[in-house]
Amino acid sequence: MADVARLAGVSSQTVSRVSNGYEGVNEQTRRQVRAAMKELGYRPNSAARALKRGEFRTIGVITFSLSTTGNVRTLEAIANSAAHQGYAVTLLPVAIPTQAEVRGAFSRLEELAVDAVIVIMEVHLLDAATVTLPPHVQVVVVDSDADSHYTVVDTDQAGGTRTAVRHLLDLGHETVWHLGGPEDSYAAQRRTDAWRAALAEAGRPAPPLFRGDWSAESGYLAGRELAAHDECTAVFAANDQMALGLLRALHERGRRVPEDVSVIGFDDIPEATVFIPPLTTVHQDFAEVGRLCVEAVLRKMRQEGPERGSTLVPTRLVVRDSTAPPGGRP
């Protein structure tokens, strides 16, 4: 810093103010200092600045799985939004969804010096009705039912499901079968509950529920059983990967999509456009979820936001070639 000050012809205090982004420095002086920094290869010590400001400009992210499309795309969106705001992301996967593991993850993140934490819950804890997080940490939760206790950001799972079910019913199908996600998933639970509610509102019977684990393989295995039900003419799959497996199972049984069975998914993954046939699906705006998570946690850090409550990101139905009226009639 002293070398930069000598080269720029200013005081070390001025160099410090420029490197820390403080106001009150003449623009010409600021340019001189930055030019001297560049010439000398000077970079401010981020650790020292963090200690001085009490802010590390790092957001911790706790997640229970990196194997699902939703978690990976949410994490990517959080990282991109954080970088746009000038923050880094420290990721800490938790292998077992228990309260003790969550507490341990928070302890490790505190040792790694983060300013706040975003928790991608996704699954129910094995040993608690709801998550209990440390009270002294600024936290935003993704994909959870903890809106009465914490700040929660989530996709409008129920709204997207109702739109999917209504689309199939409006096409003339008597009812809609459901290939749901795993029982321990918040998203799967909300989609299943909304599927049943939408059918009940329309006065239609709810067929037996089939489940997978979000993977295409599980969709195929469950789809083999589902495809044996000849009375099934429409299926809402809880995600696009399981819908892919279902399409294969239906094809192997000789049931055409959409002529014999209409299929609709959830997520709108990029590959959905090249399924055979291209998949009708519910689009999730992962980028908006990530942006809102970062904005919410920054507001909490600055004590500008609410302590609890949910923000739901709207979905939209993307109609492609995998849905049609019963019998494929126009």
Side-chain angles (χ1 to χ4, degrees):
M1 187 179 291
D3 292 338
V4 172
R6 278 193 296 271
L7 182 60
V10 299
S11 68
S12 295
Q13 184 180 14
T14 299
V15 175
S16 176
R17 294 182 66 83
V18 172
S19 66
N20 285 289
Y22 289 123
E23 302 295 330
V25 178
N26 177 278
E27 188 56 36
Q28 177 61 34
T29 301
R30 191 182 299 275
R31 284 197 293 267
Q32 289 176 211
V33 171
R34 286 177 175 166
M37 287 178 175
K38 184 176 181 181
E39 182 176 339
L40 294 174
Y42 170 79
R43 294 184 180 179
N45 187 313
S46 58
R49 287 194 296 174
L51 289 172
K52 184 175 181 180
R53 288 186 172 187
E55 181 180 334
F56 302 97
R57 300 197 71 79
T58 300
I59 298 171
V61 178
I62 296 173
T63 182
F64 294 112
S65 172
L66 289 173
S67 63
T68 64
T69 297
N71 279 7
V72 171
R73 295 185 67 183
T74 300
L75 176 60
E76 177 186 30
I78 290 170
N80 289 337
S81 296
H84 182 72
Q85 296 283 353
Y87 282 76
V89 165
T90 296
L91 173 64
L92 192 61
V94 174
I96 304 173
T98 64
Q99 190 69 59
E101 288 289 322
V102 171
R103 285 195 297 268
F106 271 91
S107 296
R108 291 192 292 278
L109 282 176
E110 287 179 341
E111 293 170 2
L112 293 170
V114 301
D115 299 306
V117 179
I118 296 172
V119 185
I120 304 176
M121 285 298 298
E122 182 200 12
V123 296
H124 296 274
L125 295 181
L126 299 177
D127 58 350
T130 188
V131 65
T132 302
L133 305 179
H136 60 285
V137 181
Q138 301 299 338
V139 178
V140 169
V141 182
V142 188
D143 194 9
S144 170
D145 62 356
D147 58 306
S148 61
H149 299 90
Y150 304 102
T151 301
V152 176
V153 177
D154 194 11
T155 295
D156 186 1
Q157 313 283 353
T161 298
R162 286 193 297 269
T163 300
V165 172
R166 283 198 297 265
H167 170 68
L168 292 168
L169 295 179
D170 289 345
L171 287 172
H173 296 276
E174 287 300 315
T175 190
V176 178
W177 296 59
H178 183 39
L179 174 51
E183 290 186 76
D184 63 352
S185 165
Y186 287 109
Q189 175 184 315
R190 283 192 287 276
R191 294 172 200 179
T192 296
D193 290 347
W195 161 71
R196 286 198 178 99
L199 289 178
E201 289 169 7
R204 307 297 175 88
L209 171 66
F210 292 81
R211 285 194 183 275
D213 62 8
W214 297 128
S215 68
E217 181 182 8
S218 74
Y220 169 70
L221 294 175
R224 289 175 61 180
E225 297 182 44
L226 198 155
H229 291 266
D230 293 335
E231 69 275 24
C232 171
T233 66
V235 182
F236 164 53
N239 78 335
D240 292 348
Q241 293 289 345
M242 291 194 301
L244 174 61
L246 171 64
L247 289 175
R248 177 188 168 189
L250 291 168
H251 173 74
E252 288 182 354
R253 190 170 174 86
R255 306 197 66 189
R256 300 167 300 166
V257 177
E259 292 85 356
D260 301 322
V261 183
S262 286
V263 175
I264 188 167
F266 203 110
D267 282 342
D268 193 22
I269 62 175
E271 297 81 6
T273 60
V274 293
F275 283 12
I276 301 176
L279 185 67
T280 296
T281 185
V282 177
H283 177 82
Q284 289 202 75
D285 192 344
F286 291 104
E288 182 67 0
V289 170
R291 185 184 70 81
L292 291 175
C293 283
V294 172
E295 288 188 355
V297 85
L298 292 181
R299 284 197 304 271
K300 289 174 73 70
M301 286 167 53
R302 298 162 185 158
Q303 298 183 339
E304 298 172 353
E307 289 299 314
R308 54 181 61 89
S310 285
T311 299
L312 293 181
V313 177
T315 59
R316 59 184 173 85
L317 182 68
V318 181
V319 179
R320 298 192 180 101
D321 298 339
S322 66
T323 52
R329 64 177 184 270

